[in-house]
Amino acid sequence: MSAVAVLDQGVAQPGPARRDPARHDGVRNDAAWRDRRINEPTVPMQHPGRHLEATSVNGLVSDRVSPEAAEDATSLVELHETIASLLASRGEWRQAYEHLRHAFDIATADKTMPPQVPQQFRLEVARLRREHAEAREQSIRDALTASYNRRYLDQRLVEVLAEQRGGGSDGIAVALVDLDWFKSVNDTFGHLVGDRVLQQVVELLQIGLPEGGFCARYGGEEFVLLLPGVDGGTATTVAEAARARIEAYPWSQLVLGLRITVSIGVAHQPVTGGRALTNPEQQLRSADGLLYTAKQSGRNAVAYRVGGEVRLSGAPVRRPR
């Protein structure tokens, strides 16, 4: 039954003209008019959004939801569910939760809905939260190597530096890692092999990182190791261990004749008096300058500073012909 039809039930319909018994010769008899208005039955007005049938039980009026109202409530719940799914697919999670909440309210308030509906919505909310978490994880991961991406690196650098300013820490280090002669790897063995090399390098870089440390793809064949809460010596040790591990890996098992090395620049930022000395961009620039020094030394090396002096560790090699 439509809302218009329901409203029509409470409106007197036009009919044939009839003489008003409360009138006599065109003059209203007030007493008769009043008695008729008091005694005549009335039609209850019904709300269009909820079709109710009034029934008398032992002198009490009870509301019974009509089948049309139940169908309308179910349709409204399904509409909110559909909109929530559409919004979730577009990443608009807050709006999706709002529509699910409205659907949940309708389902729990309407007595015609099956009792398992609230559980359905709890499962739906759990599904949306899981998809939200997965989408968030995908947005901060590099698609090829599954390492963190530049976006996450920039975000975490700011956060970690803020945390370090609280004191009680040895500072933070970033190690900028670049694969040596990687273009020649792609040219000689193909891009599929090059992709596999990048994936394996990430696995090797992530071994033995300190608590809170992680690897992020900086771009192309460059990666960054973020090392929070460590001193300069520890940061250099971690970087040197990663360099040696990559050099020692049996790359020829992947393809005969393949050899991979990396060059690394390590920039350590101490915390003095509860205040970091530089900002994230300056630290990355410092690491990039040290990486250039490692490349100029012959590659397969780690460049770092002790005081104001630049030092190298590793085993520089000559470029293959």
Side-chain angles (χ1 to χ4, degrees):
M1 183 183 296
S2 69
V4 173
V6 174
L7 287 173
D8 285 344
Q9 292 180 6
V11 179
Q13 300 299 318
R18 56 190 176 91
R19 189 169 183 272
D20 190 342
R23 287 182 176 270
H24 179 67
D25 296 333
V27 178
R28 188 177 73 184
N29 185 322
D30 289 339
W33 176 264
R34 184 172 58 254
D35 292 341
R36 195 198 75 176
R37 295 297 297 166
I38 292 173
N39 295 323
E40 74 178 357
T42 59
V43 179
M45 181 62 72
Q46 301 181 12
H47 192 283
R50 189 167 178 81
H51 305 188
L52 302 177
E53 298 176 4
T55 60
S56 177
V57 181
N58 297 328
L60 300 176
V61 177
S62 65
D63 291 342
R64 184 170 67 252
V65 180
S66 69
E68 292 88 348
E71 184 177 350
D72 288 346
T74 302
S75 298
L76 192 55
V77 167
E78 291 174 351
L79 177 61
H80 278 297
E81 279 190 276
T82 301
I83 295 173
S85 296
L86 176 62
L87 290 169
S89 68
R90 294 164 53 182
E92 299 175 14
W93 305 102
R94 181 178 300 175
Q95 296 92 325
Y97 290 146
E98 272 302 301
H99 280 280
L100 275 183
R101 185 180 65 79
H102 288 312
F104 182 83
D105 290 343
I106 295 170
T108 53
D110 198 309
K111 298 175 183 178
T112 66
M113 301 296 288
Q116 68 269 23
V117 166
Q119 177 62 19
Q120 278 182 275
F121 282 108
R122 281 191 286 270
L123 294 174
E124 183 70 6
V125 169
R127 181 184 68 82
L128 282 177
R129 285 176 176 166
R130 183 173 61 254
E131 290 181 357
H132 186 192
E134 291 172 356
R136 160 67 178 165
E137 186 68 13
Q138 290 173 3
S139 72
I140 60 176
R141 292 282 184 180
D142 174 60
L144 175 63
T145 64
S147 62
Y148 288 110
N149 57 22
R150 177 69 181 273
R151 173 185 178 184
Y152 182 76
L153 172 66
D154 292 341
Q155 173 188 326
R156 283 297 295 151
L157 262 174
V158 173
E159 294 173 351
V160 171
L161 280 172
E163 294 166 3
Q164 300 298 310
R165 290 188 181 102
S169 169
D170 290 315
I172 177 175
V174 293
L176 189 55
V177 183
D178 184 72
L179 274 70
D180 297 327
W181 302 304
F182 186 68
K183 184 179 182 303
S184 66
V185 172
N186 283 329
D187 292 344
T188 304
F189 302 103
H191 287 276
L192 290 178
V193 172
D195 289 348
R196 184 67 189 92
V197 167
L198 292 175
Q199 293 166 346
Q200 185 59 53
V201 164
V202 166
E203 291 184 22
L204 296 172
L205 287 174
Q206 293 181 134
I207 297 173
L209 296 181
E211 183 178 358
F214 64 86
C215 174
R217 191 175 184 184
Y218 195 62
E221 64 271 21
E222 285 189 314
F223 298 88
V224 170
L225 297 180
L226 180 63
L227 311 172
V230 298
D231 58 30
T234 301
T236 302
T237 300
V238 170
E240 173 57 25
R243 182 208 62 78
R245 197 159 44 242
I246 291 170
E247 181 187 20
Y249 186 79
W251 295 103
S252 59
Q253 292 180 3
L254 181 60
V255 60
L256 191 63
L258 179 63
R259 184 186 179 191
I260 300 297
T261 61
V262 296
S263 299
I264 305 176
V266 180
H268 179 259
Q269 182 175 160
V271 176
T272 304
R275 182 173 59 86
L277 298 180
T278 59
N279 62 36
E281 284 129 7
Q282 288 174 324
Q283 191 170 16
L284 284 169
R285 280 198 297 269
S286 177
D288 188 55
L290 289 164
L291 172 62
Y292 180 78
T293 300
K295 292 282 190 183
Q296 290 296 103
S297 73
R299 293 174 169 78
N300 193 23
V302 176
Y304 58 98
R305 288 183 182 276
V306 176
E309 181 184 353
V310 176
R311 297 185 182 181
L312 292 166
S313 67
V317 295
R318 294 182 179 180
R319 179 174 180 171
R321 297 185 179 182

